[in-house]
Amino acid sequence: MSRPFNHQDSGNIRNDGTVTAAGKGQVCIPTAEKNMQFKKLKAISANQVCFDCPAPRPTWASVTYGVFLCLDCSATHRSMGVHTTFVRSVDLDEWTQRQIDAMRLGGNANARQFFRQHGLTDMQSKIEKKYTSKAAVAYKAELA
């Protein structure tokens, strides 16, 4: 016997219809607003190429580092665990304003510059090595 859907049964939808992010209680912004903000961020030339490889038009992002990623690199990020890098789809997932602000503060150009200034010059190096480096730890703290 099925029962009617109750918003209270879902951990991500509040009674007022707002969506919360990843069960942490932060409210996601409306999809149209998210899309408008990402349209501006994706128009920046450095964000039009994956941060970790030369793939064009990345559709994923590491909120932790504020960088845009291709699907393949996002899978590598996911395998490293959320304690290292938290990955979301730019198009499919819901985002909080704070997460989008991390993307605005970060961005591929700022991350690349920071990593280089902190001694990581081979940006195409093994992804796991890059994100466990001292530069990555410092950048993560900078964006937090």
Side-chain angles (χ1 to χ4, degrees):
M1 179 174 185
S2 67
R3 57 191 179 110
F5 177 75
N6 180 342
H7 285 305
Q8 292 177 326
D9 293 341
S10 173
N12 289 341
I13 302 176
R14 292 183 172 170
N15 288 336
D16 65 1
T18 58
V19 178
T20 61
K24 294 188 178 189
Q26 296 179 349
V27 176
C28 294
I29 63 170
T31 302
E33 175 67 20
K34 173 201 77 165
N35 291 341
M36 184 182 74
Q37 291 187 55
F38 270 116
K39 184 176 181 177
K40 292 175 184 175
L41 291 171
K42 291 192 296 186
I44 299 167
S45 62
N47 294 340
Q48 294 175 8
V49 176
C50 176
F51 183 71
D52 290 334
C53 79
R57 296 177 304 284
T59 57
W60 290 80
S62 168
V63 178
T64 309
Y65 296 99
V67 295
F68 288 87
L69 306 166
C70 69
L71 178 62
D72 290 342
C73 291
S74 75
T76 303
H77 277 251
R78 283 189 186 276
S79 73
M80 289 187 285
V82 296
H83 62 283
T84 302
T85 176
F86 182 61
V87 180
R88 314 231 359 118
S89 168
V90 171
D91 300 318
L92 303 175
D93 288 324
E94 298 300 325
W95 289 66
T96 66
Q97 187 59 55
R98 184 174 183 186
Q99 291 170 331
I100 293 176
D101 290 344
M103 296 302 298
R104 186 177 296 110
L105 288 171
N108 291 8
N110 288 340
R112 188 169 288 110
Q113 179 182 5
F114 187 94
F115 276 68
R116 285 187 175 140
Q117 287 174 343
H118 289 81
L120 191 67
T121 55
D122 182 9
M123 297 309 290
Q124 303 298 319
S125 67
K126 191 155 179 70
I127 292 176
E128 292 89 348
K129 183 179 177 183
K130 184 189 319 183
Y131 292 100
T132 56
S133 69
K134 288 181 182 179
V137 172
Y139 194 61
K140 183 177 179 177
E142 186 97 1
L143 290 181

